[in-house]
Amino acid sequence: MRDPEQRTVLITGATSGLGRALAHRVASSGSRVLVHGRDAERAELVRAELAAGPEHAAVVADFAELRQVGQLADAVRRCTDRLDVLVNNAGIGSGPPGAGRELSADGVELRFAVNYLAGYHLTRLLRPLLVASAPARVINVASAGQHPIDFDDPMLSHDYLGSRAYAQSKLAQIMFTFDLAALLRDSGVTVNAVHPATYMNTAMVREAGVSPVSTVAEGVEAVLHLVADPGLDEITGSYFHGTRACRALEQAYDEQARARLRELSDKLVEQAPS
């Protein structure tokens, strides 16, 4: 990896919680940070808070709409000619207890859309920039809460549970991590996933009615490990629990299941209004 002062790092979901704290840590090392949020005012506020140094930037998109994800990729390419690290952190939790099923603007189950599909689409759009910037890294902020995808009902039209929707979207992130790592293995771009910490003290956890057991600072350390540790220069296609390499749910290692997820994801992206 380049020295921190030479890095440009895009952090999605950087206006609150883990993303916001991570943006501050990355900026304090001297890196340029591209702060993503769905609200322009909040994104600009975080950008203005960051440590002085390189010219940080705020970029805006609602991940519940793939058209806006495409616009975000365009905005990133306009504001930088190099992307050293992409942190796919934006996401939503399982929702309050008893909450019902929701759909994105594109008609996709909302947690699948925001937590997984938006990052899938954004990373593919930015892949040429990442490769051109190599050595580069992609970090997918996933979770130890994982559930197998039922490809007969991937949008959970029946027997919906918010916790299952969340856990399914997080496993999809890890499956994508393994696929993309294999695709980019000789490109100089590494791709890894991480469960940063269990039930961090964030609005997402509190909304679910869960008592926090970890701090946001613990989560930041785990993600920063993947962003900046020089010992991980050659590590790709791995899932980390905190800072320790770990094994994900078995479906993540099923090549046929990953192929079905790719096919589904590409179909959903192609069907979305441009």
Side-chain angles (χ1 to χ4, degrees):
M1 286 291 289
R2 293 180 177 86
D3 291 337
E5 296 81 5
Q6 299 175 322
R7 292 179 199 155
T8 297
V9 181
L10 169 59
I11 303 172
T12 70
T15 58
S16 64
L18 175 66
R20 186 174 189 165
L22 179 66
H24 278 275
R25 283 293 302 278
V26 171
S28 69
S29 73
S31 296
R32 183 189 186 202
V33 179
L34 308 184
V35 176
H36 160 260
R38 64 178 178 176
D39 179 271
E41 185 175 343
R42 291 178 66 187
E44 176 57 29
L45 175 64
V46 174
R47 185 208 64 78
E49 292 174 349
L50 298 181
E55 187 178 349
H56 308 299
V59 288
V60 180
D62 185 342
F63 273 19
E65 185 176 5
L66 289 173
R67 178 182 59 84
Q68 293 194 38
V69 175
Q71 293 171 345
L72 172 62
D74 290 340
V76 169
R77 287 188 289 258
R78 285 195 299 270
C79 72
T80 185
D81 58 3
R82 192 181 75 239
L83 183 59
D84 301 284
V85 183
L86 167 59
V87 182
N88 285 313
N89 166 73
I92 54 176
S94 58
R101 181 174 176 268
E102 302 172 272
L103 298 180
S104 73
D106 304 306
V108 178
E109 191 279 312
L110 188 61
R111 277 137 192 90
F112 190 89
V114 174
N115 295 348
Y116 162 67
L117 191 62
Y120 174 84
H121 188 38
L122 178 65
T123 306
R124 291 199 316 166
L125 292 173
L126 293 178
R127 192 176 82 188
L129 181 58
L130 287 160
V131 171
S133 306
R137 299 182 180 187
V138 177
I139 296 106
N140 292 322
V141 179
S143 174
Q146 302 159 28
H147 193 285
I149 299 168
D150 177 2
F151 287 101
D152 291 329
D153 185 22
M155 296 296 102
L156 301 178
S157 301
H158 307 288
D159 302 320
Y160 176 86
L161 284 174
S163 57
R164 178 180 172 184
Y166 174 82
Q168 174 179 278
S169 71
K170 290 299 174 177
L171 182 64
Q173 279 188 299
I174 297 169
M175 294 167 77
F176 172 51
T177 298
F178 294 170
D179 262 1
L180 187 62
L183 182 66
L184 297 180
R185 188 166 296 277
D186 297 321
S187 70
V189 180
T190 61
V191 191
N192 293 292
V194 60
H195 165 71
T198 300
Y199 295 135
M200 290 177 290
N201 188 12
T202 64
M204 179 189 299
V205 169
R206 294 190 296 272
E207 179 191 51
V210 176
S211 297
V213 298
S214 300
T215 65
V216 170
E218 290 176 78
V220 168
E221 290 303 323
V223 181
L224 198 62
H225 173 65
L226 290 179
V227 168
D229 192 324
L232 299 178
D233 282 349
E234 304 299 324
I235 303 300
T236 191
S238 292
Y239 164 64
F240 287 79
H241 190 289
T243 58
R244 178 175 57 87
C246 191
R247 190 164 179 85
L249 204 67
E250 285 306 309
Q251 193 183 47
Y253 304 93
D254 183 334
E255 293 186 7
Q256 185 176 12
R258 296 206 307 266
R260 294 184 74 178
L261 178 61
R262 283 197 308 273
E263 182 179 356
L264 171 64
S265 304
D266 291 342
K267 180 179 179 180
L268 292 173
V269 169
E270 290 167 5
Q271 289 177 344
S274 60

